Amino acid sequence: MTISVRSVSTAVPPTVIQQPDMRDLLLAQPGRSRLARRLVSAAFDASAIDTRHTVVTDLSPTSPSRRTPRPDDAPEPFFVDPADGTVLSPTTRPRNDRYVAEVPGLILEAARGALAASGGLGTGDVTHVVTASCTGFFAPGPDYVLVRDLGLPATTRRLHVGFMGCYAAFPALSAARSICAEDPGAVVLVVCVELCSLHLEASDDPDTIVASSVFADGAAAAVVTARPAPAGHLVLDLDTLRTALTPVGEQDMAWTIGDHGFEMVLSRYVPSIISEHIRGALDPLLAEVGSDCDRAAGEIGRWAVHPGGRSVLDKVQDALGLDDEQMAPSRDVLREHGNMSSATVLFILARLLDAAAAGAPGPGERETVCAMAFGPGLTVESALLTLRRADDRAAA
């Protein structure tokens, strides 16, 4: 049985922040140490990020809430005091309240886009919903919102993958694959949503500074099914998914709930840990196609590497011997959107599908895609997918 991703669609909040503007906002905060100011400049300037999207409108310097005097119809300041530009520190509850308010619109936009691009599937075909998020909580949650607001049957089965971090799209896709293996008629809507900017904090802590320079907001949805796609429709077959824990790094990447938002631990050692252990994590996966890390760069043309940050991409590229073209989709997503945690790898897969639609593969051609993401643990999740047009199913 061939189980495929029929479509991927993405959604981002309308507010865009330019990386230099965010850097300058943090540099202007009172009480920062000289070392912290140097770290802010270094982290932002080396991030390889131009823009990020956020649900926190007052992070944009053009926001009405940042103006003095503030217009009567401007939203209340959430993170930035318009009087003096001070970054505020709301407690966890109002941050989570903003998550509850903002998530429905993003997940519905992504879900509707994925269904519209799925090659003939609609809300009436969806049998299961799988959601993933780690940047907020509410119950009934995003999975319930999708069933309610898309008008899905009350009998739609639901699963939420919570608090797994940047790699959560892979467990979500794995769950969808298992559902379809058990029920060949199933159509699973997978949606990842993260509002990382809600947990911004102005701090001298190096981990917090790095987090403030890379994380952003976004949602992505995928439609997974074993039902045959229309002839010519591009799909991504879910061939193999693997998980691995590195022997070190448990304390170097973590995500905990604090009194003033969720607190990210992202130590400077993470890129080196990934570099040292990525080959051992991927070799069992690559063996599925008779390859290994020494040959993968030459045998697998398309890659979707989660951009935990520029240095993570650099280390993966060096460790696997990938060329700039193979890394381009990951670097492009990082540059335009930053790190949106679990949604990010789906943004890259959406970009690969768009590129394939504009060119190769042609009818009857097949390409292997290797995707991976990293998160707390330190966990490496990876997958092999086949990018193909549906009219070559008979040759599969």
Side-chain angles (χ1 to χ4, degrees):
M1 182 189 303
T2 302
I3 299 166
S4 306
V5 175
R6 287 270 288 264
S7 58
V8 182
S9 183
T10 63
V12 291
T15 299
V16 180
I17 48 176
Q18 304 289 330
Q19 195 74 332
D21 291 337
M22 192 67 193
R23 176 201 63 202
D24 294 346
L25 175 65
L26 293 181
L27 285 174
Q29 298 310 299
R32 298 282 76 85
S33 69
R34 184 176 300 175
L35 174 60
R37 293 178 188 278
R38 288 203 301 267
L39 289 174
V40 168
S41 294
F44 277 79
D45 292 346
S47 66
I49 296 170
D50 292 340
T51 55
R52 291 178 284 168
H53 292 256
T54 177
V55 296
V56 184
T57 56
D58 55 345
L59 287 178
S60 169
T62 62
S63 170
S65 64
R66 292 275 292 274
R67 298 175 190 164
T68 305
R70 192 165 57 88
D72 292 338
D73 60 348
E76 287 295 321
F78 186 71
F79 262 128
V80 183
D81 186 334
D84 58 10
T86 300
V87 173
L88 306 174
S89 183
T91 57
T92 300
R93 178 166 183 169
R95 296 177 195 249
N96 196 69
D97 286 346
R98 182 68 69 90
Y99 175 90
V100 174
E102 299 288 351
V103 157
L106 284 172
I107 60 176
L108 287 166
E109 180 182 348
R112 288 174 176 140
L115 287 168
S118 66
L121 297 175
T123 54
D125 296 291
V126 176
T127 60
H128 298 71
V129 169
V130 179
T131 55
S133 188
C134 70
T135 47
F137 296 99
F138 62 99
D143 52 316
Y144 172 87
V145 169
L146 289 166
V147 171
R148 181 193 67 196
D149 292 353
L150 290 176
L152 303 181
T155 54
T156 303
R157 302 293 298 272
R158 312 190 325 264
L159 172 67
H160 182 67
V161 178
F163 225 64
M164 298 193 81
C166 294
Y167 63 81
F170 289 85
L173 290 172
S174 181
R177 185 173 182 265
S178 296
I179 290 166
C180 293
E182 181 178 349
D183 177 5
V187 174
V188 186
L189 178 63
V190 176
V191 183
C192 298
V193 59
E194 304 292 5
L195 305 185
C196 305
S197 69
L198 290 176
H199 304 290
L200 172 73
E201 194 75 24
S203 170
D204 285 3
D205 176 68
D207 290 341
T208 303
I209 290 171
V210 170
S212 71
S213 73
V214 299
F215 284 106
D217 303 346
V223 176
V224 179
T225 186
R227 296 188 192 180
H233 188 83
L234 280 166
V235 298
L236 283 162
D237 296 339
L238 290 169
D239 298 327
T240 306
L241 295 102
R242 297 287 187 195
T243 187
L245 288 174
T246 62
V248 295
E250 181 179 350
Q251 307 303 319
D252 292 284
M253 188 182 290
W255 191 227
T256 59
I257 300 175
D259 292 336
H260 293 270
F262 296 177
E263 299 169 357
M264 166 60 74
V265 175
L266 189 64
S267 86
R268 64 184 184 275
Y269 300 110
V270 167
S272 296
I273 294 170
I274 291 172
S275 176
E276 182 178 353
H277 297 286
I278 188 65
R279 293 169 65 88
L282 288 185
D283 268 339
L285 176 81
L286 297 173
E288 297 285 333
V289 290
S291 187
D292 57 29
C293 288
D294 290 324
R295 294 178 290 165
E299 297 177 349
I300 299 175
R302 297 182 187 260
W303 295 74
V305 182
H306 171 70
R310 180 196 56 78
S311 57
V312 169
L313 293 181
D314 290 346
K315 293 293 187 180
V316 171
Q317 181 170 4
D318 290 344
L320 300 179
L322 304 179
D323 60 34
D324 290 344
E325 183 178 356
Q326 290 168 315
M327 294 296 295
S330 299
R331 294 194 187 276
D332 289 346
V333 168
L334 179 66
R335 184 180 66 257
E336 297 171 16
H337 297 288
N339 179 349
M340 299 164 287
S341 191
S342 67
T344 317
V345 75
L346 293 179
F347 272 69
I348 301 169
L349 292 178
R351 196 163 289 239
L352 291 179
L353 283 170
D354 288 344
E365 296 180 5
R366 304 160 65 85
E367 291 186 273
T368 299
V369 177
C370 183
M372 69 192 77
F374 322 99
L378 200 157
T379 303
V380 180
E381 289 277 347
S382 57
L384 288 174
L385 308 97
T386 298
L387 176 61
R388 64 175 176 86
R389 293 191 183 272
D391 54 1
D392 77 342
R393 176 176 292 274

